[in-house]
């Protein structure tokens, strides 16, 4: 039986990855920080809360990394923990850097010193491409991050590669493009739209958003956690772009949701309304970012060839899954 530690176990990806590994008979150690609330709701939703051994952990505490790595000597370590909300990183750049950059250094150093056989997965991100230098983006595309989140993740990405090259560690990065699911946090645009529009059907309260023209390559988290697992099963450590290879605007996502909900709409420059003028989507300044990533589109040819990975969900199937779940929950 293999042991895997997952940080970020209470988040979207942590929950799906834990389920994936448990199905393969791994012992899963869930590294989570103390919290007073309902932080295990995703694990409960997937019915796996009682199959996980939890351990206290915080990315910002170096001893925390050392303790858990020394204690469990895991075969695999998936670092999915992060302050993952890009918009918040502009208001909390220090907290974001402590967790997303320094936190990763703590883990790499702890593995080097205490458990060098442990295979390490770092959750890198398409946000590092930022103001993109070429389209589509692949593993060789230069980075130009546009947020404290993206800058911190770029540091962690290079540090992971540096530990691999300097100390011969099995340390890998998955450069994952946006991935969503019914378990997505409600602050991210897809879930905000899904929840907001399902609520609109009953209340006619408009949903307030920011930039409707941003383009993202959206996949489904269930597909993407399988790619993470495959990355650590290869003969040699390497980095992979994981994406669908299709990009859509926020507007497209809204349209797909409205069609799924059978709502008739007309589009204007900054809003959506019904044909007789009832507002559905409006924009508000607080949801625009100081610097934006306008367009992301991933080329995952390397993952297709080496990992034999490809996504099962397209955007229509993702929208359907999110809307269906939201309707069944209210
Ligand atoms: P979530 O926001 O859903 O989950 C983040 C997790 O990190 C939560 O479990 C949270 O715990 C934990 N966390 C936050 N701060 C700390 C800390 N200081 N110490 C320990 N744990 C902490 O993110 P996702 O599941 O969507 O993403 C997983 C990872 O993948 C993240 O690193 C993210 O940056 C990265 N990523 C995500 C993409 C996406 O589209 N989803 C795309 C590319 C990369 P708590 O419950 O206590 O808040
Ligand atoms: P992103 O995801 O920043 O790409 O980071 P998010 O869903 O927050 O934004 C996507 C795009 O939508 C635009 N947008 C809005 N976004 C939010 N959250 N709320 C709004 O009201 C709104 N209106 C428009 C944004 O400006 C942006 O262009 C996600 C996270 O999961 C990161 O952790 C991960 O690394 C990247 O995806 C890849």
């Amino acid at each position: 039986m293999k042991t895997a530690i997952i940080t970020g176990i209470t988040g979207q990806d942590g929950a799906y990855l834990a389920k994936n590994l448990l199905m393969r008979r791994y012992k899963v150690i869930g590294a989570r920080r103390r919290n007073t609330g309902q932080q295990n709701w995703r694990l409960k939703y997937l019915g796996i809360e009682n199959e996980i051994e939890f351990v206290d952990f915080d990315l910002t505490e170096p001893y925390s990394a050392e303790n858990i790595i020394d204690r469990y000597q895991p075969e695999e370590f998936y670092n999915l923990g992060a302050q993952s909300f890009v918009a918040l990183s502009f208001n909390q750049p220090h907290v974001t850097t402590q967790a997303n950059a320094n936190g990763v250094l703590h883990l790499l150093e702890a593995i080097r010193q205490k458990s060098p056989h442990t295979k390490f997965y770092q959750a890198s991100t398409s946000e590092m491409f930022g103001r993109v230098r070429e389209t589509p983006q692949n593993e060789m595309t230069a980075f130009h991050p546009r947020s404290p989140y993206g800058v911190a993740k770029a540091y962690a990405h290079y540090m992971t590669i540096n530990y691999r090259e300097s100390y011969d560690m099995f340390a890998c990065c998955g450069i994952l493009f946006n991935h969503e699911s019914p378990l997505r946090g409600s602050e991210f645009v897809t879930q905000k739209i899904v929840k907001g529009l399902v609520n609109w059907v009953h209340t006619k309260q408009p949903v307030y958003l920011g930039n409707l023209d941003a383009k993202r390559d959206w996949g489904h988290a269930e597909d993407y956690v399988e790619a993470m697992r495959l990355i650590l099963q290869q003969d040699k450590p390497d980095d992979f772009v994981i994406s669908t290879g299709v990009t859509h605007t926020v507007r497209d996502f809204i349209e797909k949701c409205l069609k799924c909900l059978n709502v008739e709409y007309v589009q204007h420059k900054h809003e959506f309304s019904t044909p007789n003028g009832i507002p559905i989507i409006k924009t508000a300044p607080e949801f625009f970012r100081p610097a934006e990533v306008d367009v992301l589109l991933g080329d995952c040819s390397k993952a297709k060839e080496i990992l034999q990975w490809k996504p099962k969900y397209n955007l229509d199937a993702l929208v359907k899954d999110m809307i269906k779940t939201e309707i069944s929950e209210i």
Side-chain angles (χ1 to χ4, degrees):
M1 185 193 258
K2 280 191 196 170
T3 298
I5 297 183
I6 303 176
T7 70
I9 187 88
T10 58
Q12 170 188 255
D13 292 6
Y16 282 119
L17 178 64
K19 184 165 183 194
N20 183 315
L21 297 183
L22 286 165
M23 274 166 28
R24 294 169 201 280
R25 307 207 163 282
Y26 276 62
K27 177 175 177 183
V28 174
I29 311 298
R32 63 173 184 190
R33 54 184 177 169
R34 188 189 164 273
N35 184 289
T36 52
Q38 300 291 320
Q39 71 178 148
N40 280 0
W41 66 270
R42 294 182 172 95
L43 302 168
K44 282 192 185 128
Y45 183 90
L46 296 178
I48 56 171
E49 187 191 23
N50 296 331
E51 294 176 56
I52 294 163
E53 182 176 329
F54 293 102
V55 61
D56 285 331
F57 172 79
D58 197 302
L59 280 160
T60 60
E61 171 56 67
Y63 293 116
S64 195
E66 255 183 63
N67 284 341
I68 59 168
I69 285 160
D70 199 18
R71 176 167 157 202
Y72 290 103
Q73 303 276 317
E75 277 80 16
E76 296 173 15
F77 193 111
Y78 296 87
N79 180 35
L80 310 187
Q83 190 304 90
S84 76
F85 189 30
V86 174
L88 182 68
S89 77
F90 289 100
N91 297 331
Q92 299 188 356
H94 288 279
V95 169
T96 304
T97 303
Q98 289 300 328
N100 299 9
N102 299 345
V104 181
L105 176 56
H106 301 156
L107 292 171
L108 288 165
E109 189 53 28
I111 290 174
R112 180 173 87 85
Q113 293 199 27
K114 304 285 181 189
S115 182
H117 74 281
T118 297
K119 294 180 175 181
F120 179 75
Y121 174 89
Q122 167 58 15
S124 287
T125 164
S126 53
E127 194 63 20
M128 300 183 306
F129 296 121
R131 181 183 277 169
V132 295
R133 304 282 177 88
E134 60 179 348
T135 297
Q137 298 85 48
N138 63 32
E139 292 80 3
M140 304 306 289
T141 305
F143 298 150
H144 185 146
R146 296 271 284 165
S147 60
Y149 169 85
V151 173
K153 282 283 186 174
Y155 170 95
H157 181 84
Y158 284 125
M159 199 52 97
T160 302
I161 294 172
N162 185 255
Y163 268 65
R164 174 168 84 218
E165 293 176 352
S166 306
Y167 307 117
D168 204 20
M169 280 167 49
F170 200 108
C172 309
C173 302
I175 308 172
L176 271 53
F177 283 61
N178 298 53
H179 46 279
E180 321 293 310
S181 73
L183 300 186
R184 186 59 144 155
S186 53
E187 66 275 40
F188 299 98
V189 77
T190 54
Q191 188 71 296
K192 186 173 168 185
I193 293 167
V194 166
K195 285 188 183 296
L197 292 181
V198 170
N199 180 56
W200 180 90
V201 170
H202 301 289
T203 63
K204 302 293 177 284
Q205 276 176 5
V207 187
Y208 286 86
L209 297 175
N211 180 8
L212 303 182
D213 297 312
K215 294 178 100 174
R216 289 293 182 276
D217 178 335
W218 279 296
H220 195 298
E222 255 185 87
D223 283 338
Y224 284 38
V225 299
E226 172 63 0
M228 295 176 188
R229 185 190 72 81
L230 287 170
I231 288 171
L232 291 198
Q233 312 313 311
Q234 302 308 300
D235 292 336
K236 63 182 184 61
D238 205 348
D239 310 317
F240 294 90
V241 160
I242 304 296
S243 65
T244 69
V246 184
T247 190
H248 290 274
T249 58
V250 172
R251 278 181 200 282
D252 295 336
F253 192 90
I254 296 167
E255 284 197 81
K256 284 181 187 295
C257 291
L258 288 170
K259 283 184 182 140
C260 206
L261 290 164
N262 290 319
V263 174
E264 277 191 63
Y265 63 90
V266 285
Q267 272 199 64
H268 313 278
K269 192 155 184 250
H270 296 297
E271 65 174 60
F272 284 63
S273 69
T274 61
N276 56 355
I278 301 171
I280 304 172
I281 300 278
K282 287 168 97 64
T283 50
E286 62 265 35
F287 298 117
F288 287 80
R289 297 176 182 179
E292 176 65 291
V293 173
D294 295 318
V295 52
L296 290 173
L297 173 62
D299 168 6
C300 67
S301 314
K302 182 176 168 185
K304 279 188 176 151
E305 191 193 322
I306 297 176
L307 306 177
Q308 303 281 301
W309 174 89
K310 65 172 195 255
K312 296 193 181 79
Y313 283 83
N314 63 17
L315 189 59
D316 288 323
L318 170 67
V319 166
K320 217 166 146 190
D321 191 23
M322 292 179 78
I323 295 268
K324 202 178 83 196
T325 307
E326 183 58 23
I327 289 174
S328 70
E329 304 240 308
I330 58 166

